[in-house]
Amino acid sequence: MEPPGEKPGETGGLRITPQLLKSRTGEFALESILLLKLRGLGLADLGCLGECLGLEWLDLSGNALTQLGPLASLHQLAVLNVSNNRLTGLEPLAACENLQSLNAAGNLLATPGQLQCLAGLQCLEYLRLRDPLARLSNPLCTSPSYWATVRELLPGLKVIDGERVTGHGSELYQLCRDLDSSLRPSSSPGPRATEAQPWVEPGYWESWPSRSSSILEEACRQFQDTLQECRDLDRQASDSLAQAEQALSPAGTTSSFVF
């Protein structure tokens, strides 16, 4: 039996229907939907999703999508997650002029040319094509020149695959990438890398014997005196509280209050 509001798509998956969108969002008019999460529903056909003209945030991750045609009409869309699908192209997104963040990790994008459609998106700053933590990637990410190619093709990006490439903090990520490159074993002939040397002289981290200091000794003595005064005050306060409790006990009288 089919779930309510969903119909089989052309590839055997499910298709988005107005009933599905209304049940998910509670909105009566599709144009009023601003945020939509349709993760992991087995969707293969976007159906009427293109009618959600006001949509700004959309999560379609973990489905069975092979194309994004209906998204071409979503001109207000700013954040899109289509990770873990079966996409071989992103061409419809060229019309999403307000798109700022795109996660397309875990698809079938094989060549940098399939990203050319994103070059005209002036607002696009965040792009993810691989996600090591989720073990998602694309075939094009295996190329040694992947990183440089994406940066050249989309120079307006600030963050690629979660790593900042421009602005504050980008130098740190670049340093890490350079270190990774330098630590990889090289198959090309040539002189071997210089053996790593200690940063400090031998014995630098060994503990040194403490040195006597009259100032330090005086400070310790004053601290001990202050600590003893605190103990005396605490004892006096405890005695006063004990006397008060005894005076307030049923056996006592109002004339026996002694502090």
Side-chain angles (χ1 to χ4, degrees):
M1 183 176 180
E2 300 170 7
E6 301 175 354
K7 297 181 180 179
E10 296 179 357
T11 60
L14 298 177
R15 176 163 57 97
I16 295 178
T17 64
Q19 292 79 11
L20 170 64
L21 296 178
K22 292 175 183 179
S23 65
R24 286 273 171 173
T25 65
E27 296 285 352
F28 180 77
L30 299 185
E31 297 86 352
S32 301
I33 300 176
L34 301 180
L35 184 150
L36 186 58
K37 184 177 180 179
L38 300 174
R39 176 185 300 178
L41 299 180
L43 298 173
D45 189 337
L46 295 180
C48 64
L49 187 58
E51 299 178 26
C52 302
L53 301 180
L55 199 59
E56 298 179 358
W57 190 96
L58 176 61
D59 185 354
L60 293 169
S61 61
N63 287 291
L65 301 173
T66 58
Q67 58 87 24
L68 301 175
L71 301 190
S73 61
L74 304 183
H75 302 298
Q76 303 303 317
L77 189 63
V79 178
L80 174 62
N81 186 348
V82 289
S83 62
N84 198 18
N85 278 280
R86 304 171 186 172
L87 300 173
T88 57
L90 303 172
E91 288 76 11
L93 301 183
C96 302
E97 61 264 24
N98 286 311
L99 189 63
Q100 301 175 18
S101 176
L102 171 62
N103 185 349
N107 282 283
L108 304 176
L109 304 174
T111 65
Q114 292 170 308
L115 304 178
Q116 185 64 47
C117 58
L118 306 177
L121 300 179
Q122 302 299 319
C123 297
L124 186 62
E125 297 181 347
Y126 303 88
L127 176 65
R128 183 181 286 280
L129 297 175
R130 62 182 176 185
D131 187 344
L133 294 179
R135 298 183 179 180
L136 298 176
S137 185
N138 280 277
L140 67 86
C141 300
T142 60
S143 170
S145 60
Y146 155 70
W147 189 272
T149 302
V150 173
R151 288 200 62 181
E152 181 179 358
L153 187 64
L154 304 171
L157 291 177
K158 293 184 178 180
V159 178
I160 301 176
D161 297 338
E163 298 184 10
R164 182 170 290 275
V165 295
T166 60
H168 296 296
S170 60
E171 299 86 355
L172 177 59
Y173 282 110
Q174 184 60 50
L175 176 60
C176 293
R177 287 191 292 273
D178 293 342
L179 287 173
D180 287 341
S181 299
S182 65
L183 293 174
R184 293 193 186 101
S186 176
S187 58
S188 59
R192 297 180 60 183
T194 305
E195 184 178 353
Q197 299 295 325
W199 291 4
V200 295
E201 297 178 357
Y204 180 85
W205 299 111
E206 295 179 3
S207 60
W208 293 86
S210 57
R211 300 178 180 178
S212 59
S213 170
S214 57
I215 298 178
L216 180 60
E217 292 176 353
E218 178 63 20
C220 291
R221 187 187 63 78
Q222 293 181 9
F223 175 76
Q224 293 295 336
D225 292 343
T226 303
L227 184 60
Q228 185 60 44
E229 292 179 2
C230 292
R231 290 171 178 167
D232 293 341
L233 290 173
D234 178 67
R235 185 170 57 256
Q236 294 177 13
S238 299
D239 293 342
S240 298
L241 288 174
Q243 294 180 16
E245 291 176 356
Q246 183 179 4
L248 292 174
S249 61
T253 62
T254 56
S255 60
S256 62
F257 289 0
V258 179
F259 294 92

